[in-house]
Each structure stands twice: as C-alpha cells, then as structure tokens.
Amino acid sequence: MGDDNLKIKRKFINIVKKLDVKFIVLLTLLVFSILISLNTYTTNVLNKEINRQISLDLKQKVTISYNTISPLIKELNDGKITKKEAINRITNLVSRMTYSDSFSSNYLFMSDYDGDYLVQPYEPSKVGTNMWNFTNDKGDYVIRRIIKTAKKNPKGSYIEYESKKPNSTIYEKKRAYIIGIPEINAYIGTGTYLETSYTNILSLISMNTQIYYLVILISIFLFLIYSIKHVIINKELQSEILEKEKAKQNLMIEKAKVLDEKHKFEVLFEYSHDAILEFDNLGNIIRANNAFVNLYKYTKSECQGSKIYDLIAKEEPYKSDVINHVKDSLNAVQNNIETTRFDKNGKAIHVLLRTVFLRQNDLVIGGYVIYTDITKTKKYEERLIKLSIHDNLTGLFNSNYFNDKTDEISKKKIDNIAVIVSDINGLKLINDSFGHKFGNKIIKDYANILKEIFSAESVIARTGGDEFYIIIYNSTFEKISFLMNKHNKKIDDYNNIEKNNIVKLSVAIGYSVSDSENIRVALKDADDMMYRNKLLNRTSRRNQMLALLLSILKEKDYVTKGHTDRVKEMSLKMSQSMHLSNDRKDKILLLAEVHDLGKIAIPDSILNKKAILNRIEWKKMKTHSEIGYRIAINSQELSDIADLILKHHERWDGEGYPLKIKGEEIPIECRILSLVDAYDAMTNQRPYNILKTHKEAIEEIKLCAGSQFDPSITEVFLKLFDS
C-alpha cells in the first residue's frame, strides 16, 4: 500500500514538471472566478443562517432565564411562597439578567398581563409604569401584542415590532422571543434590533470576503512561485514523501501498541477481581464487568443504560452518597470511600468505592467506578468491636466494659443506682467433675436467667469465670428485694426441671443501692454481702455436691456396684495383716470407695465399651485419676486422700500413670489398692476384658510381681487369698 502511494505522488510531480506556466495562470484565474461565485452564494446562505441563529439565540437566552426562575415558580405552585413573594423574587432575579452578545447589547424584560413593566434595565424609570396604551410611531400597541402572544403561546413564541433603540430616538425593527408565566400573570422575553445586528454582521461578512480574496491572491502568488521553482520544490516534496512514509510506519507501530494496550485494558476490565462499571458523562452505565455481575447479581444487559444509583443504591442515604461522592471526586476532595451497596435481591454489600473520571479538554466525558467487596472485613471488624466489650460465652458485657461503665457513671449525678454481685457456687468442682463443657452450660443457663429478670436498660456483665455484676438505674431496696425473690424463684424453677437435676444451680448474691458518686462503695458493699452469703452455704454445698457425685458415679458405672465393696473388704484384710496404723486403714478404705470418682467425667461410650479401647479412648480414660484428684482436693472430706486418688494407677516399675513414679515413691495405700483392684477386675465381668478364674488371676498377679505390683505386697496378698 505504501509503495502505491509513493508511485502516485511521483507521477503527480512529473505531471507538474510538464505543465506550462501560462496554462497554470489561466487555470488559477478560472478557479478564482468560481470561488468568487461560490463566495456570493455562501454569503447569501450565511445571511439566512445568521438570521436563524439570531432567532435561536433569543430563544435560548429566554429559555435559560425561564429555567433559572422555574424553581421559584415550583415553590409558588407547591404553596411554599406567596404570589407576591414569587413576583418580587422573580423580578429581582430577572433584572440582573443583562448580557452582551456578538450582535448588540441586550437585556431581559418583563411585564405583567395588565401591561405594568416589571423589569426594564435600560429604562428603569418605567418599571411599575402601565404601558397598555403605549404605541410606537406607527401607532402599533406593542405591549398589547406581546401580552397577546404570551397568552396565546405561553411556552414561547417570536414577535417582531418597531421599537426605539436604547438611549436613542430612532425606531428600528426588533425581533423578540416571549415565554408566558401564567402562574404570576406575566411574561419574560428578550429581543434584538435586526438592522443593527445585520449591519454588524454584513460588516463582518464584507471584511471576511476581503480577507478571502486577499488569501486567494496570495495563494495565486505563492502558486506561481511554486510553478517557477518546481524543480527545487520537487526535491523537497520527495524528501517530504519519504519523511511521511517513515512517519506512517511509526504511526502504524504506535497504533499497534495502542491496540495492544487497549486489549490488555479490556482483559483487566473483564477479569478484575473488583467489580467495575463504566459510565458516561450523564451517569448512565455503559457496561459492567464479570465481577460486578457476580457480586450484584444483575446481568450485563440489565446494567447497560441504567443509572448507578437506581441500580445498587436506590434508597436514601445511599442515593445521596453516590451523588456526593461524584461531586467530591470531581472537586478532588476525595476519591475513596467505604459505603454500602445492595445487590439485585436487596442484600447489603460493604464496599470500598473508588471513582476514576475521564476528561477531555477539562470536561468530564465519563469514567469508571470500582467496587472492592469488604463485607467479610467489615463483619470481622464488627465482631472484634463486639468481642472487645462482650463476653464470648454468654453474650453479656465483659469486665472491660463494666469497668468503663462504672467510671462513666461515677462522673455523673445519678440517684438510686443499684448494684448486684452474684457468684455461681462450686463451679470449679463442677468443671473438675463434669468437664468445662458442662460448666459452661451452667454459666450460660445462669446468664439467660439474669437476662430474663433484669430489663434491657440494666448493665449485666460477666466479670470472671463464675462472677456477674449488674447495675440497675432508678432502683430502690424494695425493687431489688422484689427482683431477688424473682431471681431465687427462677433458680428453683431451673433446678426442678428434670434435665437439670444432674447438678443443682446454686448462687451466692449480694446487693446495694447508692448514688453514682458512691458507686464503688456500693460495689464493695454488694461484694461483701455476696461473700458472706457464700461462706454460709459453702460447707453444705460441698457436702451435697460430693454426695451427688458419688451417687451419679454409681448410676453411671455399673461395675462399681459390687466392685467397691469387694475392694474395701480385701484392702481391709491386707492392711490388718500388714499391721498398718488406723489412720492408714481409714485412708485405704476411703480410697477404695472413691478411687474411681474421676470416672464421672468419662463418657459412657468409653466406660461401657465392650471392645478394646483405641489410643484416643485410652488416653481419655487415664485422665480419671487427675479428675478425681481435682474433685477431692476441693472437698473437705476427701482432701486428705486427693494425692492417693491421683497415684492409684502408678506401677512398681514406673510405667504407670499419670506421674510415672516407681517403687516406694508410690504411697503404700496405692500399692495395696492397685493389686486388689486388678484382681477384682480380672475375676469379675467388665465390658472390656475376658473373665478369668481365681487360679488364672493368681497366676497373672505372680507374673506381674516386681513390674506392675510391689513384690512384698504381692506376697501378703498370696498368703491371704491363694488358697
């Protein structure tokens, strides 16, 4: 293609070389004549076009002015302002609408339908004057004609009439455009003096024609010079052709780069992880990318042509949010905001919104809006905020919030503030016996009871594992007494429910009433009262708890029904044979009764499993020694043998559990119990073993002497029971 163009240009140069100068001059004169004829024709056409443009210009100015005052007309129609106020404000606004155009100085005028001038900038003395009977020098009732035109065509119409030019006595034909304002019985308009306008225009056309002819003459002169020196110019033209060819090649390369960049941009647009919309200068959506479709559930065809705020921000304040963001971005105030948008189904989506505007000659021609979904991040932030002031287990306020709230209240003047302190009795024993999962259930159940009793205005906080604080506004001792009765009734109801009978909920509680300035004193008084209440109930509570645990254990593990009695009997015989002290005899008998106390926390599925326990199940089973220890250490009756419960599964060779101690490090009570407990397990039916005869069990014990069992204690056992 490039070679063909070069051949054509060279052929043109050869033709120019062969042309005669006279022929070129004659040809130029012919072209000149044609151009003059064309100029005459275009001048006439131009006159008509300018006449049309003058009319359009008048219409545009009046229309703009009417649009400027239309908000006031709307306020009048809506009843927000009176007609008198509307007239005053409209006339005040219109009186400032003077202008100078390319044809003449003009202004906007206004009168009511009765002929009273309302606005007349160049004859301000006539404002307020009735011009109904005014005639020009030809006897034409100008104002009447204008009013008639405005009433007949209230949306706008042209009218021509004779009128004096400003600051002159000369009448000249004037063309005006009028729009009626029936709401205030008036019209608004502007006009131009045609002769003055045409005079100015014709002068401009004449000047333009002269310049046109001058340009043609200069062109002819330059063309003749070119013809004379065509040889030199030919060389320059050839050089220029080569340069253009080179430029064309460079342009093609640049165009290829642009296309490549455009392709890359299209790929980025369509496959971006962020939702993107392209919009025009009116805010209409041109297109949406795949991520936008996936995020907001609209199809691309549903997006195209829609307004952004009509699609994903239909309601206030989100619609205003869109408009304000656009304004701020245009003014470079900000470009990124966090906000909420809604998908097709109304689901709220938190987004980081960024807008990029495309400008051409400082005018916005469109742009892109980018939405990054931050819903998960916002939810995580909200969860963090909630966790910072709420207890994760119960949903009540936590100690941080309660302390801040107490500080806040102490700085205010508030009378009759009640504070309540409560503490769940025996929670540690419950956790040690049944596990923290069960203990957590007790805590949550009690928290729900507090929520039922106290109003939403109260501050209920869990400040420790088993400790709760409540603040009640506008309270008295009578009201607190009523709430305490309700509180105790709720706990009784809870304990009477059959599924809660495994452990009785018991709470120590204290309260006080004060003003805000002495709230910390009130908290201490309530705390002291709660502690006294706890001391009064501590012993009986622990005794009840221990009896309950032993009762549950018997129901839970069927092998303990005869097992405990048999182990106690054999242990007593051995301790008597070994001449142990009465204290040791008592301890070993108590140990025989409660050594399996920790099994209360072992699942039934493990205790009653008929097959051999797997590694995980066996690991869980071995924890019963430590659980039993924790229960016993918190019991006044069992604290003396807590250490024996912990060590009753240790072996003579150190391979037992949980401490792996050996030999005489193991208390003698535990060494005796270990042997008789093993014998009873082998000779009585258990879910997990094969029943042995007495003789088989004795042989097993002999084999394990010195490894599992103390050899000397084994000898005592064999003397007593191997018969």
Side-chain angles (χ1 to χ4, degrees):
M1 186 69 182
D3 293 340
D4 292 338
N5 290 337
L6 192 60
K7 288 178 181 178
I8 291 170
K9 290 175 182 177
R10 286 172 178 170
K11 189 174 182 180
F12 172 74
I13 292 169
N14 292 329
I15 292 172
V16 171
K17 286 180 181 179
K18 296 176 182 179
L19 289 175
D20 185 76
V21 174
K22 291 181 180 179
F23 176 80
I24 293 172
V25 171
L26 289 173
L27 183 62
T28 303
L29 291 174
L30 178 61
V31 172
F32 181 72
S33 299
I34 294 170
L35 289 174
I36 290 173
S37 300
L38 288 173
N39 183 62
T40 303
Y41 172 77
T42 55
T43 299
N44 293 331
V45 173
L46 183 60
N47 283 333
K48 292 179 181 179
E49 179 60 21
I50 289 172
N51 188 40
R52 189 177 72 85
Q53 288 297 326
I54 289 171
S55 298
L56 290 175
D57 187 63
L58 293 174
K59 181 178 180 180
Q60 184 182 36
K61 287 181 171 64
V62 177
T63 302
I64 291 171
S65 302
Y66 181 83
N67 290 339
T68 303
I69 65 175
S70 61
L72 295 173
I73 297 171
K74 187 176 185 306
E75 287 187 29
L76 173 61
N77 291 336
D78 294 341
K80 294 181 179 180
I81 58 175
T82 64
K83 182 176 180 180
K84 183 177 180 181
E85 186 178 356
I87 292 171
N88 289 336
R89 289 173 65 181
I90 289 171
T91 55
N92 182 50
L93 188 59
V94 173
S95 64
R96 299 196 300 271
M97 294 180 184
T98 59
Y99 60 90
S100 295
D101 57 24
S102 58
F103 308 116
S104 61
S105 295
N106 269 308
Y107 58 90
L108 287 149
F109 53 83
M110 185 177 175
S111 75
D112 62 24
Y113 287 166
D114 295 324
D116 292 328
Y117 268 156
L118 299 177
V119 178
Q120 187 63 270
Y122 284 103
E123 291 180 292
S125 60
K126 289 185 178 181
V127 173
T129 303
N130 187 279
M131 303 297 288
W132 183 262
N133 295 318
F134 169 76
T135 60
N136 58 18
D137 62 339
K138 292 186 177 181
D140 186 12
Y141 288 90
V142 175
I143 298 300
R144 294 185 188 182
R145 285 183 59 212
I146 292 174
I147 292 171
K148 183 178 179 182
T149 301
K151 287 183 175 181
K152 185 176 181 181
N153 301 291
K155 292 185 178 180
S157 180
Y158 294 100
I159 184 171
E160 291 185 358
Y161 54 88
E162 297 286 337
S163 178
K164 284 183 182 180
K165 295 174 66 176
N167 303 317
S168 173
T169 58
I170 301 172
Y171 276 85
E172 186 177 316
K173 191 171 184 180
K174 187 174 185 178
R175 179 178 296 160
Y177 186 80
I178 309 297
I179 293 179
I181 314 174
E183 291 84 352
I184 60 172
N185 295 320
Y187 65 87
I188 182 173
T190 189
T192 186
Y193 294 91
L194 295 177
E195 184 177 340
T196 302
S197 299
Y198 279 115
T199 300
N200 294 336
I201 295 166
L202 290 172
S203 175
L204 290 171
I205 292 173
S206 176
M207 184 183 296
N208 182 65
T209 302
Q210 292 173 10
I211 293 171
Y212 182 77
Y213 290 158
L214 180 61
V215 169
I216 291 176
L217 290 173
I218 293 171
S219 299
I220 293 172
F221 176 75
L222 293 175
F223 187 75
L224 289 173
I225 293 174
Y226 170 78
S227 299
I228 294 169
K229 298 184 177 181
H230 63 85
V231 176
I232 298 172
I233 296 171
N234 178 45
K235 291 181 180 180
E236 293 176 354
L237 183 59
Q238 287 179 335
S239 176
E240 183 181 348
I241 290 171
L242 291 174
E243 287 295 325
K244 286 184 178 180
E245 287 295 326
K246 185 177 179 181
K248 183 179 178 181
Q249 292 296 327
N250 291 336
L251 185 62
M252 290 177 66
I253 294 170
E254 190 64 30
K255 185 177 180 181
K257 288 181 179 179
V258 170
L259 290 173
D260 184 57
E261 290 297 324
K262 184 178 180 182
H263 174 70
K264 289 178 181 178
F265 174 79
E266 290 298 321
V267 171
L268 287 173
F269 178 86
E270 285 297 337
Y271 297 101
S272 170
H273 292 298
D274 291 331
I276 306 175
L277 289 178
E278 183 181 358
F279 58 88
D280 61 20
N281 62 331
L282 298 177
N284 299 312
I285 298 172
I286 298 174
R287 58 177 176 157
N289 72 347
N290 295 327
F292 185 92
V293 171
N294 293 333
L295 183 62
Y296 290 103
K297 314 304 180 190
Y298 288 99
T299 64
K300 291 187 177 183
S301 60
E302 287 175 325
C303 297
Q304 191 171 8
S306 299
K307 295 286 186 185
I308 296 173
Y309 51 72
D310 286 338
L311 202 67
I312 58 175
K314 298 178 182 178
E315 299 179 1
E316 295 292 350
Y318 304 106
K319 186 173 182 178
S320 297
D321 176 41
V322 174
I323 297 169
N324 292 334
H325 173 65
V326 170
K327 290 179 180 177
D328 290 342
S329 299
L330 284 170
N331 296 326
V333 173
Q334 62 176 14
N335 191 254
N336 301 334
I337 63 168
E338 288 186 11
T339 185
T340 303
R341 295 292 178 262
F342 299 88
D343 70 8
K344 187 175 182 179
N345 301 318
K347 177 185 175 184
I349 302 171
H350 296 289
V351 293
L352 174 64
L353 189 154
R354 289 156 289 172
T355 305
V356 179
F357 290 99
L358 302 178
R359 288 179 168 84
Q360 191 175 70
N361 299 326
D362 293 329
L363 294 176
V364 173
I365 60 172
Y368 297 90
V369 59
I370 305 166
Y371 304 92
T372 302
D373 185 2
I374 58 171
T375 302
K376 290 183 179 178
T377 303
K378 292 298 289 185
K379 287 183 178 179
Y380 182 70
E381 289 176 357
E382 290 168 2
R383 177 167 173 78
L384 286 179
I385 292 170
K386 183 177 180 181
L387 288 175
S388 69
I389 63 172
H390 286 85
D391 172 51
N392 192 39
L393 179 63
T394 63
L396 300 177
F397 291 116
N398 60 19
S399 58
N400 290 334
Y401 178 85
F402 182 79
N403 292 332
D404 291 342
K405 196 68 177 178
T406 305
D407 291 339
E408 178 188 325
I409 291 172
S410 66
K411 296 172 184 176
K412 297 180 179 180
K413 297 286 185 181
I414 306 173
D415 294 327
N416 299 325
I417 290 184
V419 291
I420 299 174
V421 182
S422 66
D423 189 285
I424 299 175
N425 291 323
L427 182 63
K428 187 176 188 309
L429 191 57
I430 293 171
N431 286 333
D432 290 339
S433 304
F434 302 102
H436 285 274
K437 184 176 180 180
F438 189 85
N440 287 343
K441 178 184 180 302
I442 294 291
I443 293 170
K444 288 192 285 186
D445 288 348
Y446 181 57
N448 291 333
I449 289 173
L450 294 179
K451 291 175 187 177
E452 289 179 27
I453 296 170
F454 300 102
S455 66
E457 291 75 24
S458 302
V459 178
I460 311 173
R462 179 184 176 220
T463 58
D466 53 5
E467 200 169 54
F468 298 82
Y469 280 78
I470 302 117
I471 296 175
I472 308 172
Y473 298 96
N474 299 320
S475 192
T476 61
F477 278 104
E478 291 76 12
K479 182 177 179 180
I480 294 302
S481 179
F482 170 77
L483 290 173
M484 289 301 95
N485 290 332
K486 189 176 180 181
H487 171 272
N488 296 335
K489 177 68 168 54
K490 284 283 185 183
I491 289 179
D492 289 341
D493 292 344
Y494 175 84
N495 287 331
N496 288 330
I497 297 174
E498 185 176 350
K499 67 179 181 180
N500 296 327
N501 280 339
I502 187 170
V503 173
K504 299 293 184 183
L505 175 61
S506 173
V507 178
I509 198 159
Y511 55 86
S512 181
V513 178
S514 178
D515 55 40
S516 58
E517 291 180 334
N518 296 301
I519 189 170
R520 297 196 182 282
V521 176
L523 283 168
K524 186 178 185 309
D525 291 343
D527 196 64
D528 290 343
M529 181 179 177
M530 181 274 294
Y531 189 70
R532 290 193 299 272
N533 182 256
K534 183 176 282 288
L535 288 175
L536 289 171
N537 293 284
R538 178 175 291 175
T539 302
S540 62
R541 174 66 183 166
R542 284 187 173 178
N543 291 340
Q544 292 171 6
M545 191 68 185
L546 179 61
L548 176 65
L549 292 175
L550 292 173
S551 173
I552 293 171
L553 181 61
K554 288 181 180 179
E555 293 296 324
K556 184 170 184 169
D557 187 5
Y558 71 89
V559 300
T560 63
K561 292 177 182 178
H563 170 70
T564 300
D565 293 335
R566 291 190 299 273
V567 170
K568 282 176 68 176
E569 183 181 349
M570 286 188 288
S571 297
L572 178 60
K573 286 182 179 181
M574 288 190 67
S575 61
Q576 288 173 339
S577 177
M578 295 172 67
H579 306 292
L580 298 181
S581 66
N582 290 331
D583 180 58
R584 286 191 180 277
K585 289 178 184 177
D586 292 340
K587 283 184 178 179
I588 199 169
L589 290 176
L590 185 57
L591 177 63
E593 187 173 1
V594 300
H595 66 279
D596 281 334
L597 184 61
K599 287 185 179 180
I600 193 128
I602 305 301
D604 290 344
S605 60
I606 294 177
L607 286 176
N608 300 322
K609 185 176 181 180
K610 294 182 179 180
I612 296 174
L613 300 181
N614 60 38
R615 184 177 61 83
I616 296 174
E617 290 168 338
W618 179 237
K619 185 177 180 181
K620 180 69 175 176
M621 173 66 88
K622 291 197 295 184
T623 63
H624 81 273
S625 298
E626 298 169 69
I627 295 170
Y629 170 80
R630 291 198 298 271
I631 296 172
I633 204 69
N634 284 288
S635 169
Q636 187 174 357
E637 293 80 3
L638 300 181
S639 59
D640 287 346
I641 66 162
D643 189 60
L644 302 180
I645 294 174
L646 178 66
K647 299 173 181 177
H648 79 278
H649 274 292
E650 298 292 346
R651 288 169 50 112
W652 180 257
D653 58 7
E655 295 299 317
Y657 62 87
L659 303 179
K660 293 191 177 298
I661 57 177
K662 62 182 180 179
E664 294 188 359
E665 292 180 282
I666 306 169
I668 191 168
E669 295 92 341
C670 296
R671 283 178 272 158
I672 293 172
L673 179 71
S674 173
L675 196 154
V676 297
D677 185 50
Y679 172 80
D680 190 75
M682 287 187 284
T683 57
N684 289 278
Q685 186 65 52
R686 293 288 179 94
Y688 48 82
N689 74 341
I690 300 173
L691 188 67
K692 289 181 172 62
T693 64
H694 169 73
K695 186 177 181 179
E696 289 172 339
I698 291 295
E699 291 302 318
E700 183 76 20
I701 288 173
K702 289 177 181 179
L703 289 173
C704 294
S707 57
Q708 184 175 353
F709 307 124
D710 180 345
S712 60
I713 291 177
T714 304
E715 289 181 12
V716 174
F717 179 84
L718 293 174
K719 287 179 181 178
L720 290 172
F721 302 109
D722 185 15
S723 58

